[in-house]
Amino acid sequence: MEHLIFEIGLALGLIALGGLISAKLRFSVIPFYILIGMAVGPHATELWHFDFRFIDSAPFIDFMGRIGVLFLLFYLGLEFSVGRLVKSGKSIVVGGSIYIGINFTLGLLLGFLGGFPVAEALVIAGITTISSSAIVAKVLVDLKRTANPETEMILGITMFEDIFLAVYISILSGFVLSDSTSLGGVLLSALVSLGFMLTIIILGRKAVPLLNRWLRIRSNELFGLVIFGALFLIAGFSETIHVAEAIGALLVGLVLAETEHAKRIEHLIMPFRDFFGAVFFFSFGLSIDPMSLGGNAIWLALAAVVITFAGNFSAGMLAGRTADLSPKASANIGLTILSRGEFSIILANLGKDGGLMDILQPFSAIYVLILAILGPILTKQSPQVFAFLNRWFKFKDRRVPKEESL
């Protein structure tokens, strides 16, 4: 620990280098953070004072990465609104259910056909179901598609995924992190997780007027201490009852999103989200030995990529049809939300914390890397992808013109 500060500085320099390269190439930054983390670590070397093994600082970097997860989920909670989902209409609920149903079922089948136990199969299904909201949002902005007719459905599905993620991690953490071995014990832990989540949301919403008054704090320093204190206390407490700490952070964000101080909190949190979030992806890469990425992990990842593409495209076409979108716009839905990222990694880490099979982390690393790179490319080339597939499947526009429907 003698040169801890220097090692942390070296790590941050490498993370910044990854960010600069991604900005230069105008590409998603997540794969670069992970790749740079994978390039160093215990398997690396030491050059003069530059110790790229990060042996002494690895535990601290890992802790900073955990904080990054809290800020990512906390900010996600601040951005989410139940009212927005309800206002978006029935089509988003139907489309989101179709998307989750198809991708989760395919992921579960992959796990079982791969010969994995139930717990591992459930983690694999979660990894292959949830898209990266960060990459999706960036792609929509970069390609100037925010005004496209399918964008409302895309954003609606990502919000629907957030709800599914909150419930699923609560149940999965009760199953994976619980010390219970009986079915009754596992179900009890899952019910405790769901009960805790619902209690925080219900009590939090009722306490909004009180929170509005309590948070009228002029001092930015004191305001930040209050927010951070609430975040870490509730996230930490949730972990003690076998609810993932990330869900505790999400719940705090959901509650505070209803207050009149939500924008001020977002402004406060954003730099911490970006900083610690970058460390999180780097620390994930740091924990992966590139030599372990061959064999079964890479074949499992490639199979997952294939079924994810098939599932996403099918789900997009079906969801678009329910919203009366054209086949081309429907294809854009599935291709835009193809990327996987932060949430897949969080679920893989949950499996690691639960002592599940070691293959889950290298599998998720390869899977996320491929789709974080392939997703934006296919989204950009979505007209060509649709044209190619249309030659084979002859998609028909079944929308009824308004004059014909009268």
Side-chain angles (χ1 to χ4, degrees), residues 222-295:
L222 185 56
F223 182 79
L225 287 171
V226 170
I227 298 300
F228 284 14
L231 169 60
F232 281 86
L233 275 173
I234 296 179
F237 175 76
S238 66
E239 189 181 27
T240 66
I241 58 173
H242 301 297
V243 177
E245 59 189 21
I247 287 303
L250 178 66
L251 292 172
V252 179
L254 287 170
V255 170
L256 294 178
E258 302 291 332
T259 69
E260 62 188 30
H261 305 281
K263 292 299 179 183
R264 184 182 180 188
I265 298 171
E266 284 184 21
H267 182 73
L268 169 72
I269 290 296
M270 203 174 297
F272 294 93
R273 178 207 64 183
D274 294 339
F275 176 81
F276 287 101
V279 177
F280 165 62
F281 291 113
F282 175 80
S283 68
F284 178 76
L286 198 65
S287 67
I288 300 297
D289 182 357
M291 301 303 295
S292 70
L293 297 184

Side-chain angles (χ1 to χ4, degrees), residues 111-339:
F112 286 136
L113 292 175
F116 291 94
V118 174
E120 280 80 356
L122 289 171
V123 172
I124 290 172
I127 290 171
T128 58
T129 298
I130 306 298
S131 62
S132 171
S133 57
I135 297 177
V136 169
K138 182 173 175 57
V139 166
L140 287 173
V141 172
D142 289 350
L143 298 181
K144 296 180 173 60
R145 294 186 180 179
T146 54
N148 281 19
E150 71 273 8
T151 299
E152 184 177 327
M153 175 63 78
I154 291 171
L155 295 178
I157 289 177
T158 59
M159 286 193 293
F160 196 88
E161 283 183 310
D162 297 339
I163 298 175
F164 172 80
L165 179 69
V167 175
Y168 190 66
I169 290 185
S170 296
I171 297 173
L172 191 62
S173 61
F175 186 82
V176 172
L177 302 180
S178 172
D179 295 329
S180 303
T181 54
S182 66
L183 178 61
V186 171
L187 290 176
L188 179 61
S189 297
L191 288 174
V192 169
S193 300
L194 285 172
F196 173 74
M197 183 179 69
L198 292 174
T199 299
I200 293 293
I201 292 176
I202 293 171
L203 292 181
R205 294 197 70 181
K206 290 184 178 296
V208 166
L210 191 60
L211 290 172
N212 284 334
R213 291 198 299 271
W214 283 355
L215 293 177
R216 286 171 189 157
I217 303 171
R218 290 188 177 182
S219 169
N220 288 329
E221 177 183 352
L222 185 56
F223 182 79
L225 287 171
V226 170
I227 298 300
F228 284 14
L231 169 60
F232 281 86
L233 275 173
I234 296 179
F237 175 76
S238 66
E239 189 181 27
T240 66
I241 58 173
H242 301 297
V243 177
E245 59 189 21
I247 287 303
L250 178 66
L251 292 172
V252 179
L254 287 170
V255 170
L256 294 178
E258 302 291 332
T259 69
E260 62 188 30
H261 305 281
K263 292 299 179 183
R264 184 182 180 188
I265 298 171
E266 284 184 21
H267 182 73
L268 169 72
I269 290 296
M270 203 174 297
F272 294 93
R273 178 207 64 183
D274 294 339
F275 176 81
F276 287 101
V279 177
F280 165 62
F281 291 113
F282 175 80
S283 68
F284 178 76
L286 198 65
S287 67
I288 300 297
D289 182 357
M291 301 303 295
S292 70
L293 297 184
N296 293 333
I298 192 167
W299 292 113
L300 182 64
L302 290 174
V305 168
V306 172
I307 68 167
T308 299
F309 176 82
N312 262 51
F313 192 84
S314 301
M317 297 302 291
L318 291 173
R321 181 176 296 180
T322 65
D324 198 30
L325 295 172
S326 69
K328 187 175 180 180
S330 300
N332 284 344
I333 295 173
L335 294 174
T336 302
I337 53 181
L338 180 65
S339 298

Side-chain angles (χ1 to χ4, degrees), residues 332-379:
N332 284 344
I333 295 173
L335 294 174
T336 302
I337 53 181
L338 180 65
S339 298
R340 299 296 187 264
E342 60 274 21
F343 302 125
S344 297
I345 294 173
I346 290 170
L347 286 163
N349 283 346
L350 179 62
K352 177 186 176 183
D353 293 340
L356 301 185
M357 295 173 67
D358 293 337
I359 194 176
L360 291 177
Q361 282 214 309
F363 154 68
S364 64
I366 300 170
Y367 176 70
V368 166
L369 279 173
I370 293 174
L371 288 184
I373 295 171
L374 190 62
I377 294 174
L378 290 179
T379 305

